[in-house]
Amino acid sequence: MKVSVDRELCYGSAECVHRAPAVFEFVDGLGAVRPGRERTGDDPEILEAAEKCPSQAISVTEVPPSPSRP
C-alpha cells in the first residue's frame, strides 16, 4: 500500500502528524509523508490517520506488484 497527502486538500489540522509522526510531518504548514515512508500504507496507524483526516487529504492506495524479470 502507498500513502500520500494531497496538498491541495490539506489545510494543516495536524491530525496525521499527531496520529502517525513516524510517517507524517509538517512542511510549510501542511501535512506531508516523510521521504521513504510512502509504502507504509497498510499500518493501522496510517489507515486511522487517513480515516480521521478532516480534509480527507490522505490517500492509501494499492500498489501493483512489480513485474517479474526473466
Side-chain angles (χ1 to χ4, degrees):
M1 304 292 277
K2 181 178 179 184
V3 63
S4 61
V5 176
D6 183 334
R7 294 178 60 84
E8 295 291 319
L9 294 175
C10 180
Y11 56 77
S13 72
E15 281 295 316
C16 58
V17 178
H18 172 72
R19 293 179 187 280
V23 175
F24 297 101
E25 64 183 346
F26 252 21
V27 176
D28 298 327
L30 300 174
V33 178
R34 291 182 180 276
R37 301 299 308 222
E38 298 88 358
R39 302 252 177 185
T40 58
D42 58 347
D43 182 320
E45 288 180 343
I46 308 311
L47 298 175
E48 181 179 0
E51 180 181 309
K52 302 290 184 181
C53 177
S55 63
Q56 298 298 292
I58 301 172
S59 297
V60 180
T61 56
E62 187 78 31
V63 177
S66 299
S68 301
R69 294 185 182 193

